[in-house]
Amino acid sequence: MSCVARLPYLSLSVLLVFLLVLAGAGPVGAVDGPRVELSKAQAGAGGSVTVTGSGWRARALLTLLVCGQAEPDRGVTGGTNSCANADGRAVTTDAEGRFRRALPVVEPPVPCPCVVHVETVTGAGAEADAALQVAGHTVEPLPAERSGGRLSPLADTRLRGSDGLLTWFGSPPARTLEVTVGNVGTSPVKNPVFQVGTAHGVFAPQWQDQRWRGTIRPGGEARIELPVELAAGAHGDYTVSLMYGGKVLAEHPWGVGRPWGVTLFWVLVLLVVPAALFRAGLAVVDHVRPRHPGHAARPARRTGLPALPHPPGKRAGRGTNAHTLSAAPALPWVTPDAGPDDADRSSAPPGRDPTTKA
């Protein structure tokens, strides 16, 4: 009986130990998302801090920036325009999503409070901030957080449009950015002003303000369509970003093809222009070179045989040179002074007088 009575107490103690083990192991295996830590919380301009991170995507490219007018809870309220972009650093996480990188401390373009802002460059968006006091830099309170309407993306972003023939010859590529946003605030958002940014590679986006005409009621949603245009001749990998209220709502990659028509044009220019110059040079040389008189016709080659005259009673052929006929030598039995009688007498048989009658 004693053993049977002790069995429920033993089972209860084992269960309590198992629950304690699970409770202790829970925080260790929990994933809190990307985290950033600094080697020191305060540093002066010209110094440096060591930034370490964990919980990021494996083999992800990150940017590290010192930003002003920001707090870890609210993020960078002014966007990347509040950061020292020229003095930022890039780092790639390891296979476990960790990194360690030294970052120079510089004064951001806006007053503090300041943070070290870490954000992914490609792939799924992720960001994290760590507070940093920049010694000697101006400190101003953050603007009051608006309690009105707030927009949040509800669907994937896409770029609508395609390249045409003019784009193939260097015309500025253009698309339409489409994103569905919803108002998660308590007041309507009327004619919101968005910032559309285009970034090439790892460079910071260039933002442009664009107003969307319309009103989004609390709990409602709207399809936002905004034009996006790059510079003439742009090509390569670009990233189009949409920001509202200092928060990036959506990002979309944009691969722009090379304008091969421009390359073809320059190849034709390099082939046609030299050929045209060469022909023009030949024409100029042919025009300015001195003209020499033609050489006299060579005399007919003598073969050693006398030229035969045309048969009597036949006229010279058409186109025959009369001078050539007159210059032909006479036959030995016909002389210029011989008359018809002399010709008959010379041709008569010997021993007979042609004047004697038979």
Side-chain angles (χ1 to χ4, degrees):
M1 289 295 294
S2 60
C3 295
V4 175
R6 292 176 183 176
L7 185 58
Y9 295 100
L10 181 61
S11 301
L12 181 60
S13 60
V14 172
L15 180 61
L16 290 175
V17 172
F18 182 72
L19 292 177
L20 290 176
V21 171
L22 290 179
V28 176
V31 179
D32 299 333
R35 292 182 299 176
V36 175
E37 297 180 358
L38 304 180
S39 59
K40 47 188 175 182
Q42 182 176 355
S48 65
V49 295
T50 301
V51 185
T52 57
S54 60
W56 297 85
R57 191 175 68 253
R59 307 301 180 187
L61 180 62
L62 310 177
T63 57
L64 287 68
L65 300 171
V66 176
C67 304
Q69 289 292 282
E71 289 181 349
D73 295 337
R74 295 182 55 180
V76 183
T77 59
T80 54
N81 291 333
S82 303
C83 305
N85 299 308
D87 297 289
R89 293 293 184 269
V91 65
T92 302
T93 59
D94 58 14
E96 298 179 355
R98 300 178 180 179
F99 71 90
R100 182 183 181 88
R101 186 74 161 86
L103 178 67
V105 177
V106 295
E107 295 184 357
V110 295
C112 284
C114 300
V115 299
V116 172
H117 180 72
V118 183
E119 185 178 357
T120 56
V121 177
T122 58
E127 59 182 21
D129 299 319
L132 174 66
Q133 296 181 8
V134 180
H137 193 56
T138 307
V139 179
E140 293 182 2
L142 293 177
E145 187 175 4
R146 293 179 298 179
S147 59
R150 292 182 298 146
L151 299 181
S152 178
L154 301 179
D156 294 337
T157 308
R158 75 185 189 96
L159 290 175
R160 178 169 52 85
S162 60
D163 296 332
L165 181 61
L166 295 180
T167 307
W168 200 66
F169 282 95
S171 179
R175 294 289 190 275
T176 299
L177 178 65
E178 296 183 355
V179 59
T180 301
V181 298
N183 187 355
V184 296
T186 58
S187 61
V189 178
K190 184 178 181 181
N191 298 331
V193 178
F194 296 93
Q195 286 80 39
V196 179
T198 55
H200 183 47
V202 298
F203 295 98
Q206 301 294 327
W207 300 98
Q208 292 183 353
D209 294 341
Q210 295 191 21
R211 182 180 297 275
W212 182 78
R213 300 291 180 179
T215 301
I216 306 176
R217 295 174 298 175
E221 63 180 47
R223 187 70 175 175
I224 307 298
E225 297 184 0
L226 299 173
V228 183
E229 184 175 304
L230 301 178
H235 62 277
D237 295 329
Y238 285 81
T239 301
V240 181
S241 305
L242 181 66
M243 184 170 61
Y244 177 75
K247 181 181 179 181
V248 177
L249 300 181
E251 292 182 342
H252 195 281
W254 184 7
V256 184
R258 182 181 294 273
W260 291 109
V262 179
T263 305
L264 178 62
F265 170 77
W266 285 113
V267 169
L268 293 177
V269 167
L270 294 178
L271 293 177
V272 173
V273 171
L277 293 177
F278 179 74
R279 292 181 62 90
L282 290 181
V284 171
V285 170
D286 184 68
H287 181 72
V288 301
R289 69 179 180 179
R291 299 289 182 177
H292 298 286
H295 298 285
R298 294 183 179 180
R301 185 176 180 182
R302 296 182 179 180
T303 59
L305 297 177
L308 297 176
H310 289 281
K314 293 184 179 181
R315 296 181 179 179
R318 191 173 183 181
T320 304
N321 193 345
H323 177 72
T324 305
L325 295 177
S326 61
L331 294 175
W333 58 83
V334 179
T335 59
D337 297 335
D341 296 338
D342 297 336
D344 295 338
R345 188 181 297 111
S346 60
S347 59
R352 185 178 179 183
D353 190 357
T355 58
T356 307
K357 294 182 180 181

